[in-house]
Amino acid sequence: MRTLKIPNPVQLKNSTALSKFPCFSHHPTRSFNNVLPIDPLLSEKNPQRAFIGLLKSISRRSPAPSLLEIEFLHCKTIKASFIGNTNVGNGILNLYVKYGSIGFAHALFDEMLQRDALTWTILLSAYSRIGNHELSLGLFSTMLADKVFPNHFTLACVLKCCINLNDFEMGREVHGWILRNGIELDVVLQNSIMEFYAKFGAFECVKRVFGKMIERDVVSWNIMISLYLQIGDTNRSMELFRLSPFRDVSSWNIVINGHMQNELHSRALQLLYEMVNLGCRLNQFTLSISLVLAGRLVMLELGQQIHGQVLRTGFGHDAFIKTSLIDMYSKCGKMEVSKAIFNGIHQCTYYDGLVSKDILWSSIIAGYVQNGRSEDAIELFRRMLREGAKVDKFTLTSIAAACSDAGLLEQGRQMHACFEKLGHGFDVFLTSALTDMYAKCGSMQDAHKTFDSTSVRNVVSWTSIIGSYALFGQGREVIELYEKMLEENILPNEISFVSVLSACSHSGLIEEGQRYYKSMQEDYGIVPGVEHFTCMVDLLGRAGLLDQAKEFIQENKISHHSAVWRALLAASRVHNNIEMAIYSSEHLSRLEPYDVGSFVLLSNTYATQRNWMESSRMRNLMACRGISKQPGKSWIQLKGELHTFIVGDRLHPRADEIYFYLENLLVKLKEMGYSSRIDMVLHDLEEEQVESALNFHSEKLAVAYGIISTPCGTPIRVMKNLRICVDCHVVFKYISQATGREIILRDAHRFHCFKDGRCSCGDYW
DNA sequence: CTAGGGTTAG
């Protein structure tokens, strides 16, 4: 007979020291004599059997027995010399495992003189449950060497270990062993075998086992149903679902979740309604997945209804459900509610004993990041570290995105290094987020290094590096990378094209942009969405082809999208075309009467033409409608500290120095030939005031502060929440020349790298 | 057998 190739049989420790059970020496025997009726049992005809019955009932008792009670029982069995009985030993062993004390369980296991299949199975399944699958398999191997014949539970557990260890070969060996040893195949074992093959995508094997089954149950059918969902064959899975004689809650959960996984959210919603209408009871799984569904569809009311159902059914303390609730409210933009739920978590039942609070942390942090509240997310992350929660790749991915938004290069770098030190494995999500983070923080070297170190690249990895170069306006590199991606047989998605098209637009590659727009539809069958239309309007508009852009909007019948008008309006402003600006802003304000951008852009366009009447009329209208402009702010990070500036503000402790330096510098720049672009000032002011308003724009303050606080030659990295002003753009070119400093500025759309009197954007933006 | 958190653009 061939033996199983199971690694590392476990060396059992045969120790006899009871000192492994520290409470033994001073055991409070008296305190349990009333609660646990041991002594009367001992006078029964068959005290051992009675004792075994007691152990069984205690293991099912709620609340579960305390460690002291278990040790008390253990003590009693020794005193009554029952411990040599395998069934008694198994009973106590089971209690230790249920209590979660594997160390004590293993110590008892070592002391047992006779171990049967149950003894081994209790211990090895305990190890598997805490995630130590190797040890579990090692015990299995020792068990076989000890000539103890495994039962169905042992084998099912071993197959689970093979799934968790991703060890297909081992699982096949186990299956072979089962067949060779003529183990009778019952439903449970056959289901385990099916599940094993299903997890490894060995569809034919699953079907063969299912086909041969004489008796099938819900689980067998469910595995078949999920098998088809796994490969995206929703039709076939629904056929089986309708055919199944055992359709119950779990089957419904599987089809609903399966459709969600295949991105068929509205179909999933239909199924949920059908399930409810049939009067099917919703269990905790249903509630959890339907909350996720409500979040993805941004259906707040549905989410609230399910929340009500959660409270009614008493699942409010389930940790899984709490995470789903946090996720749902975050996705619906209700961060206050998410936060309240998160803060109310003290006593949630950790379902299955495997749920940890780390996931709750990561889900609330993700919520803040998704709602654009990076500072709050980072603050929460610090609290999480203080409270000793474990940082995993999920949290770190969100934090990387938060650092991208806030432009915090140093924090991002620290977290990256910290994570690498922990020795976590490679992850596509994380490396994509890090690539993006480094790029958005201005370090293309780090972004490229991260991308190069990405061993398994998918569309997202490629799209993030492509988007990074697009951010720096390096259209040629973007096109090169895009072609490289195609060479590696990675199919571009909608987002890849947004990056490519916006890069073309930012680099003035008009023909290329139009070619890729065509290729997207013809070669990849991607139907252009608002984002692509907007890129095209932007592409034409930036190039000054305003009429063509307008025609593009009409031809594609997209005049109901505000974004395309916003792009045209922005282009009209850059090219000072007041008629087109008015035309597009009329459309824009009809579509979005409360949109800040439309007012600001139009009012600015009027202002540029020095039409103060119209400009101020626009601003008054904004005030009437209660719209306020997002204040422009710029920030710079020095020695780990963030310095934020708004136009003309003197709040900074070194404000006097900053202003003094800036004023002198501007005099010098004028000698070099600079003159103020006063046409960029947005209010009707006297000439002198105009100039001073311009001179102290937030980005100028931040750059000046950077120069006076760092040694000569250090590059200056500044972030701005809005687009850079035209005058500042001119000034920074002069400054880079006059001071020999490199100025790297990230605005709302892209990077501008000023060096030796020139900007990387080539003034095309 | 079935459940929760993450990436890319605008």
Side-chain angles (χ1 to χ4, degrees):
Chain A
M1 188 188 91
R2 238 168 42 142
T3 45
L4 272 173
K5 289 186 295 182
I6 295 177
N8 309 325
V10 175
Q11 286 291 319
L12 300 175
K13 305 157 250 188
N14 252 326
S15 99
T16 48
L18 278 180
S19 58
K20 290 222 174 96
F21 306 90
C23 303
F24 264 38
S25 47
H26 46 88
H27 210 275
T29 311
R30 61 238 110 73
S31 52
F32 295 115
N33 273 329
N34 309 328
V35 197
L36 301 170
I38 308 285
D39 295 330
L41 282 183
L42 298 178
S43 51
E44 285 202 13
K45 217 191 316 175
N46 191 340
Q48 275 198 10
R49 204 202 282 154
F51 199 84
I52 293 162
L54 175 75
L55 290 176
K56 203 175 246 172
S57 75
I58 285 177
S59 78
R60 296 200 194 110
R61 198 188 74 186
S62 175
S66 68
L67 190 57
L68 274 182
E69 282 179 280
I70 301 169
E71 289 185 334
F72 168 77
L73 289 161
H74 189 175
C75 226
K76 283 283 181 188
T77 58
I78 293 169
K79 276 197 188 144
S81 338
F82 289 165
I83 196 68
N85 178 304
T86 313
N87 290 329
V88 172
N90 288 346
I92 305 271
L93 189 66
N94 188 31
L95 290 181
Y96 278 126
V97 164
K98 281 235 166 108
Y99 178 77
S101 184
I102 287 216
F104 290 163
H106 205 135
L108 172 60
F109 178 90
D110 285 341
E111 313 240 329
M112 289 172 68
L113 301 173
Q114 284 188 324
R115 310 181 184 106
D116 63 7
L118 184 57
T119 321
W120 289 93
T121 309
I122 292 173
L123 195 67
L124 71 86
S125 66
Y127 275 114
S128 150
R129 206 164 329 130
I130 61 161
N132 197 340
H133 310 292
E134 289 96 342
L135 188 50
S136 188
L137 284 183
L139 281 167
F140 179 60
S141 140
T142 317
M143 174 184 184
L144 293 183
D146 262 18
K147 306 268 186 291
V148 180
F149 212 69
N151 61 27
H152 291 161
F153 294 102
T154 329
L155 294 164
C157 179
V158 166
L159 284 168
K160 262 237 165 73
C161 290
C162 297
I163 294 175
N164 286 315
L165 290 171
N166 214 358
D167 195 336
F168 182 64
E169 280 311 310
M170 172 81 74
R172 267 206 348 205
E173 290 278 344
V174 174
H175 188 196
W177 188 92
I178 291 168
L179 297 176
R180 277 197 310 276
N181 286 277
I183 304 256
E184 192 205 340
L185 293 166
D186 70 348
V187 203
V188 177
L189 189 52
Q190 280 174 312
N191 287 344
S192 301
I193 296 167
M194 276 174 71
E195 195 201 342
F196 166 77
Y197 283 118
K199 283 275 150 61
F200 285 96
F203 303 118
E204 292 311 317
C205 300
V206 187
K207 281 184 228 166
R208 207 180 311 136
V209 177
F210 185 75
K212 281 190 196 155
M213 286 171 86
I214 299 161
E215 191 201 338
R216 297 171 184 145
D217 66 0
V218 212
V219 179
S220 333
W221 282 90
N222 283 352
I223 293 171
M224 285 308 289
I225 295 166
S226 22
L227 184 69
Y228 283 103
L229 287 165
Q230 200 181 309
I231 56 169
D233 191 343
T234 47
N235 292 334
R236 185 83 189 100
S237 79
M238 283 313 288
E239 266 173 45
L240 281 171
F241 174 72
R242 305 282 179 207
L243 219 67
S244 165
F246 305 100
R247 198 179 323 126
D248 73 353
V249 209
S250 63
S251 320
W252 281 100
N253 291 340
I254 287 167
V255 289
I256 293 172
N257 192 48
H259 280 83
M260 283 165 67
Q261 243 134 42
N262 284 293
E263 310 264 329
L264 299 165
H265 292 105
S266 51
R267 186 81 192 89
L269 188 63
Q270 275 175 13
L271 285 164
L272 179 65
Y273 283 140
E274 192 185 332
M275 175 186 185
V276 172
N277 288 336
L278 284 170
C280 193
R281 200 185 91 257
L282 312 186
N283 65 10
Q284 71 271 44
F285 292 88
T286 331
L287 294 169
S288 178
I289 55 178
S290 35
L291 283 169
V292 175
L293 182 60
R296 290 200 195 159
L297 293 168
V298 199
M299 291 174 71
L300 179 60
E301 270 149 58
L302 176 68
Q304 286 167 328
Q305 278 178 23
I306 303 164
H307 192 175
Q309 190 67 22
V310 164
L311 299 176
R312 273 192 297 278
T313 45
F315 284 120
H317 292 298
D318 186 301
F320 259 96
I321 298 214
K322 286 199 178 195
T323 328
S324 311
L325 278 169
I326 290 173
D327 178 55
M328 184 276 290
Y329 281 114
S330 302
K331 294 229 159 71
C332 293
K334 297 278 168 206
M335 280 316 291
E336 330 80 69
V337 189
S338 293
K339 199 180 165 191
I341 295 170
F342 180 79
N343 288 333
I345 292 169
H346 300 296
Q347 74 291 30
C348 63
T349 316
Y350 281 16
Y351 189 75
D352 217 33
L354 285 176
V355 178
S356 77
K357 201 179 168 181
D358 305 339
I359 298 177
L360 290 158
W361 278 107
S362 94
S363 87
I364 187 87
I365 288 174
Y368 278 113
V369 178
Q370 283 159 10
N371 281 280
R373 291 170 60 175
S374 321
E375 287 87 356
D376 293 313
I378 291 168
E379 186 48 47
L380 213 53
F381 180 67
R382 295 215 176 92
R383 208 182 108 198
M384 172 181 175
L385 294 178
R386 278 200 302 275
E387 292 187 18
K390 204 173 78 236
V391 182
D392 62 8
K393 55 185 177 179
F394 290 94
T395 318
L396 203 78
T397 307
S398 292
I399 289 299
C403 291
S404 304
D405 284 347
L408 302 173
L409 180 61
E410 283 319 307
Q411 273 89 333
R413 229 182 228 140
Q414 276 170 23
M415 284 157 197
H416 188 185
C418 195
F419 194 73
E420 300 233 300
K421 223 185 271 169
L422 289 173
H424 285 93
F426 164 81
D427 187 79
V428 210
F429 286 91
L430 183 58
T431 47
S432 305
L434 286 170
T435 305
D436 179 62
M437 185 270 291
Y438 283 125
K440 287 216 181 105
C441 290
S443 176
M444 268 320 286
Q445 292 94 322
D446 285 300
H448 215 117
K449 217 164 82 191
T450 310
F451 175 73
D452 284 338
S453 75
T454 305
S455 49
V456 185
R457 294 166 183 166
N458 63 11
V459 206
V460 180
S461 338
W462 279 98
T463 305
S464 51
I465 191 72
I466 288 174
S468 299
Y469 278 101
L471 212 56
F472 284 84
Q474 308 204 25
R476 293 285 164 209
E477 284 79 359
V478 165
I479 287 172
E480 216 171 276
L481 278 164
Y482 171 77
E483 298 295 341
K484 246 191 209 157
M485 172 176 90
L486 297 186
E487 278 167 32
E488 290 199 13
N489 290 319
I490 306 275
L491 268 186
N493 65 13
E494 319 70 78
I495 302 173
S496 318
F497 280 106
V498 176
S499 287
V500 172
L501 294 177
S502 82
C504 291
S505 153
H506 282 280
S507 316
L509 303 171
I510 297 139
E511 277 167 35
E512 287 85 346
Q514 283 172 324
R515 203 176 65 229
Y516 285 119
Y517 178 70
K518 216 171 135 201
S519 154
M520 170 178 92
Q521 299 169 73
E522 290 172 3
D523 305 335
Y524 300 98
I526 294 174
V527 182
V530 202
E531 295 84 357
H532 305 108
F533 290 133
T534 311
C535 281
M536 292 312 285
V537 172
D538 197 51
L539 182 90
L540 299 167
R542 271 177 213 272
L545 307 167
L546 296 171
D547 290 316
Q548 275 192 44
K550 185 177 147 189
E551 276 165 33
F552 182 87
I553 295 176
Q554 285 159 349
E555 277 165 20
N556 288 286
K557 303 189 171 50
I558 46 175
S559 59
H560 55 289
H561 290 301
S562 52
V564 297
W565 293 111
R566 201 173 289 125
L568 186 58
L569 180 53
S572 309
R573 166 154 163 73
V574 171
H575 294 282
N576 255 324
N577 185 328
I578 190 78
E579 288 80 23
M580 197 60 91
I582 293 169
Y583 178 77
S584 37
S585 92
E586 273 171 0
H587 279 275
L588 191 51
S589 61
R590 207 174 303 139
L591 292 165
E592 287 189 37
Y594 295 97
D595 183 81
V596 193
S598 102
F599 279 96
V600 174
L601 279 170
L602 188 60
S603 145
N604 290 359
T605 310
Y606 280 124
T608 307
Q609 304 230 329
R610 323 207 86 191
N611 185 344
W612 306 118
M613 269 294 267
E614 280 302 311
S615 174
S616 72
R617 193 181 67 87
M618 297 305 296
R619 291 198 177 258
N620 288 338
L621 204 56
M622 268 172 77
C624 286
R625 294 197 188 169
I627 306 167
S628 60
K629 180 178 177 266
Q630 186 190 7
K633 57 175 184 180
S634 302
W635 61 97
I636 181 168
Q637 204 184 14
L638 291 173
K639 294 192 187 114
E641 222 172 302
L642 209 58
H643 303 264
T644 308
F645 299 89
I646 59 169
V647 60
D649 97 65
R650 287 189 164 265
L651 298 170
H652 196 274
R654 291 177 65 186
D656 288 344
E657 277 176 80
I658 297 169
Y659 280 78
F660 182 74
Y661 176 78
L662 203 48
E663 276 164 9
N664 283 325
L665 185 61
L666 287 165
V667 172
K668 204 165 141 198
L669 300 186
K670 282 196 176 144
E671 284 163 10
M672 291 169 71
Y674 155 73
S675 66
S676 300
R677 288 288 305 270
I678 43 175
D679 57 326
M680 284 299 131
V681 178
L682 307 175
H683 296 278
D684 186 9
L685 302 167
E686 293 299 321
E687 199 87 347
E688 197 179 318
Q689 285 175 302
V690 167
E691 210 171 286
S692 72
L694 203 56
N695 289 350
F696 305 119
H697 270 175
S698 65
E699 54 265 55
K700 289 199 186 86
L701 297 175
V703 167
Y705 178 65
I707 297 175
I708 63 171
S709 322
T710 55
C712 258
T714 316
I716 310 290
R717 295 171 191 277
V718 169
M719 311 272 163
K720 193 188 178 192
N721 64 338
L722 305 174
R723 262 174 71 166
I724 184 176
C725 121
V726 179
D727 181 66
C728 291
H729 198 265
V730 177
V731 168
F732 292 162
K733 284 197 278 186
Y734 278 103
I735 294 181
S736 69
Q737 196 169 18
T739 64
R741 298 275 196 140
E742 197 179 341
I743 299 168
I744 300 140
L745 183 133
R746 184 184 96 182
D747 75 1
H749 288 287
R750 58 168 297 155
F751 270 98
H752 299 267
C753 306
F754 302 91
K755 203 180 171 183
D756 305 327
R758 283 161 40 156
C759 177
S760 62
C761 76
D763 300 338
Y764 193 93
W765 50 283

